[in-house]
């Protein structure tokens, strides 16, 4: 049985490692990046010849999904707390404004300065700053940083700041993992060997985001649309599944890397979902989120007939 010897959290510190471990994610035959592209086209139309929008990608990583935001951007901003990721982002988008900082700090600072954006993206990344309102994960394990009430107040402030960064008529587009998918249920069981998740459990960050955006809608800041899509993450073989779980989902936490029971459970899961061609089809799910910062109720009316 092969085991990995890699630094803690290397999958999110090194753009190269992230690219090597990340399986393709498909939902109804469409890859995750194309889900975003299609939503933008439906919402904003095809990218214009002369882009006019101020665009922000929070937790941009190396810019994999930023590529579909960039054609709409007169000004493109990307933020990520990983120096390795933001260095790659700068290479991919040399004319963008790139900032190495965590999402909570970015939102607070930008809100304090009165910044506004026409389009904000956050893809697979918003769960991290929300979870960090309650706990901190290091190579030594998970440490509680706030009680439930204090952490919840902090998380709600993150969502409020996020909404208030939208310019009038602006759009927030997000991909957020589905905690109830078969794949994520295994991730939850493995992490709970270390410590239970706060609040409602693994779905707590999703519930915080959803309730915050619903509150913003009720307060007249815009309208919220969400859609949950089932799909699969496609790994080339069982070894790729092990790499995705240990380095991607479990952050290369030392106690997981050397736990034969954890590795055996991952391998059994991979075997259960291996297709005849040898690929492993991991049952996945995504929540697609769109918040439109407008109060114009007439947009819901049918188009006038000629």
């Amino acid at each position: 049985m092969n085991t990995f010897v890699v630094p803690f959290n290397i999958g999110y510190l090194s753009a190269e490692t992230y690219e090597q471990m990340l399986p393709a994610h498909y939902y109804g035959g469409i890859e995750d990046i194309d889900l975003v592209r299609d939503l933008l086209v439906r919402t904003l139309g095809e990218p214009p010849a002369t882009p006019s929008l101020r665009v922000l990608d929070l937790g941009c990583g190396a810019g994999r999904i930023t590529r579909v935001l960039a054609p709409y951007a007169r000004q493109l901003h990307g933020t990520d707390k990983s120096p390795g990721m933001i260095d790659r982002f700068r290479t991919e988008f040399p004319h963008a404004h790139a900032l190495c900082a965590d999402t909570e700090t970015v939102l607070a600072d930008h809100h304090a300065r009165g910044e506004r954006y026409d389009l904000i993206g956050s893809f697979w990344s918003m769960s991290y700053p929300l979870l960090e309102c309650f706990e901190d994960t290091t190579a030594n394990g998970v440490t509680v940083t706030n009680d439930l009430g204090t952490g919840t107040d902090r998380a709600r402030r993150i969502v409020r700041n996020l909404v208030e960064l939208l310019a009038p008529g602006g759009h927030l587009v997000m991909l957020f993992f589905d905690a109830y998918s078969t794949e994520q249920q295994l991730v939850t069981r493995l992490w709970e060997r270390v410590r239970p998740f706060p609040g409602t459990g693994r779905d707590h960050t999703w519930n915080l985001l959803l309730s915050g955006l619903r509150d913003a809608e009720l307060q007249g800041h815009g309208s919220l649309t969400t859609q949950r899509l089932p799909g699969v993450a496609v790994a080339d073989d069982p070894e790729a599944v092990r790499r995705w779980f240990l380095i991607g989902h479990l952050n290369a936490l030392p106690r997981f890397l050397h736990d034969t029971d954890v590795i055996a459970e991952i391998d059994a899961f991979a075997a259960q979902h291996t297709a005849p061609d040898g690929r492993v089809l991991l049952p996945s799910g995504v929540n697609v989120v769109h918040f439109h910062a407008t109060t114009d109720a007439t947009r819901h009316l049918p188009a006038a007939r000629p």
Side-chain angles (χ1 to χ4, degrees), residues 49-291:
T50 304
S52 62
L53 303 184
R54 198 160 188 252
V55 177
L56 170 65
D57 191 356
L58 291 163
C60 61
R64 186 175 72 92
I65 302 186
T66 315
R67 296 187 187 101
V68 301
L69 304 180
Y72 294 91
R74 173 178 57 83
Q75 288 185 10
L76 177 63
H77 299 248
T79 71
D80 199 282
K81 70 177 184 179
S82 164
M85 291 292 190
I86 211 69
D87 284 348
R88 174 67 68 82
F89 179 89
R90 289 190 177 104
T91 300
E92 296 290 329
F93 303 96
H95 301 296
H97 301 268
L99 176 64
C100 187
D102 67 90
T103 292
E104 183 178 13
T105 299
V106 169
L107 292 174
D109 289 351
H110 282 46
H111 178 265
R113 296 201 303 268
E115 301 279 4
R116 294 292 184 269
Y117 293 91
D118 304 296
L119 175 61
I120 299 176
S122 175
F123 308 111
W124 302 111
S125 62
M126 189 54 67
S127 61
Y128 300 110
L130 294 175
L131 187 59
E132 288 167 2
C133 294
F134 304 91
E135 60 187 40
D136 184 38
T137 302
T138 68
N140 296 320
V142 180
T143 303
V144 173
T145 55
N146 285 308
D147 60 45
L148 189 60
T150 302
T152 298
D153 289 343
R154 184 175 157 189
R156 286 174 175 164
R157 186 163 55 250
I158 287 175
V159 180
R160 284 197 304 271
N161 287 343
L162 176 60
V163 170
E164 291 177 6
L165 282 190
L166 287 171
H171 297 268
L172 168 65
V173 180
M174 307 177 75
L175 299 180
F176 201 102
F177 78 93
D178 172 28
Y180 302 103
S181 70
T182 305
E183 178 189 21
Q184 290 294 339
Q185 287 180 27
L186 174 55
V187 176
T188 300
R189 290 197 303 273
L190 295 176
W191 269 113
E192 288 185 340
R193 290 169 176 251
V194 178
R195 184 172 186 84
F197 286 90
T200 58
R202 190 75 196 288
D203 63 353
H204 192 52
T205 53
W206 167 245
N207 290 333
L208 287 168
L209 175 69
L210 193 58
S211 65
L213 294 177
R214 283 174 174 165
D215 285 347
E217 182 179 63
L218 289 172
Q219 292 162 11
H221 296 296
S223 59
L224 171 65
T225 304
T226 64
Q227 183 183 23
R228 186 265 178 187
L229 298 173
V232 293
V234 183
D236 290 338
D237 51 40
E239 184 70 10
V241 175
R242 190 187 292 183
R243 183 167 57 249
W244 171 231
F245 270 82
L246 290 174
I247 300 177
H249 285 313
L250 302 177
N251 299 92
L253 193 71
R255 67 171 294 172
F256 288 132
L257 294 180
H258 308 298
D259 188 325
T260 56
D261 290 338
V262 167
I263 295 171
E265 192 165 357
I266 294 169
D267 288 349
F269 185 75
Q272 181 183 359
H273 297 287
T274 298
D277 64 4
R279 294 182 301 170
V280 185
L281 308 182
L282 303 171
S284 180
V286 63
N287 293 297
V288 183
V289 178
H290 176 213
F291 189 90

Side-chain angles (χ1 to χ4, degrees), residues 4-21:
F4 296 102
V5 180
V6 293
F8 169 71
N9 210 30
I10 187 63
Y12 300 96
L13 298 175
S14 163
E16 182 178 6
T17 301
Y18 182 80
E19 290 164 354
Q20 290 173 349
M21 75 173 180

